[in-house]
Amino acid sequence: MRILVADDDLVSRLAMEDVLHQCGTPEIVTAEDGASAWSQLCGEQCFDLLCLDVRMPPPDGLELVARLRATPALRRVPAMLITSTADRNTVLNATRSDLQGFIVK
């Protein structure tokens, strides 16, 4: 299983990597912002799951999900948002997106 973790906060990225390694995930790729994550997604690598921060340098997690769903080759990649942002608008926007999960840090 290959998972992409995109978060601009180093501590959050490292914590997510640690949790995923403890769960037995063999390969974790990280990105420090939305642009790096998008580059990884458009590259040769395939991912089984995306763990995306909502608020990170553009594109943010919600925009990345919108791009994914608009790209035929990436449309079916499972994505979840992992964020410290739980305000009403963010939660509503997340529920309107085609996500497999929304976790508040």
Side-chain angles (χ1 to χ4, degrees):
M1 179 173 244
R2 175 181 274 170
I3 297 177
L4 175 64
V5 174
D7 196 315
D8 61 325
D9 181 67
L10 176 61
V11 173
S12 294
R13 269 196 325 271
L14 292 173
M16 180 57 68
E17 277 186 274
D18 186 50
V19 168
L20 292 169
H21 279 301
Q22 289 179 30
C23 292
T25 302
E27 188 170 356
I28 300 165
V29 176
T30 61
E32 60 189 29
D33 57 34
S36 297
W38 186 247
S39 293
Q40 294 280 353
L41 289 163
C42 292
E44 297 296 317
Q45 300 182 41
C46 296
F47 293 97
D48 299 299
L49 176 65
L50 308 177
C51 298
L52 309 171
D53 186 22
V54 171
R55 294 194 183 172
M56 62 180 161
D60 65 22
L62 288 166
E63 175 61 29
L64 279 172
V65 171
R67 287 185 185 185
L68 281 169
R69 301 308 178 233
T71 305
L74 301 172
R75 184 172 291 145
R76 297 189 188 274
V77 177
M80 57 190 297
L81 295 178
I82 301 172
T83 183
S84 59
T85 307
D87 62 85
R88 183 172 169 27
N89 286 335
T90 301
V91 173
L92 285 174
N93 287 334
T95 58
R96 292 181 185 132
S97 299
D98 185 16
L99 294 168
Q100 281 60 50
F102 181 86
I103 298 172
V104 178
K105 298 179 194 175

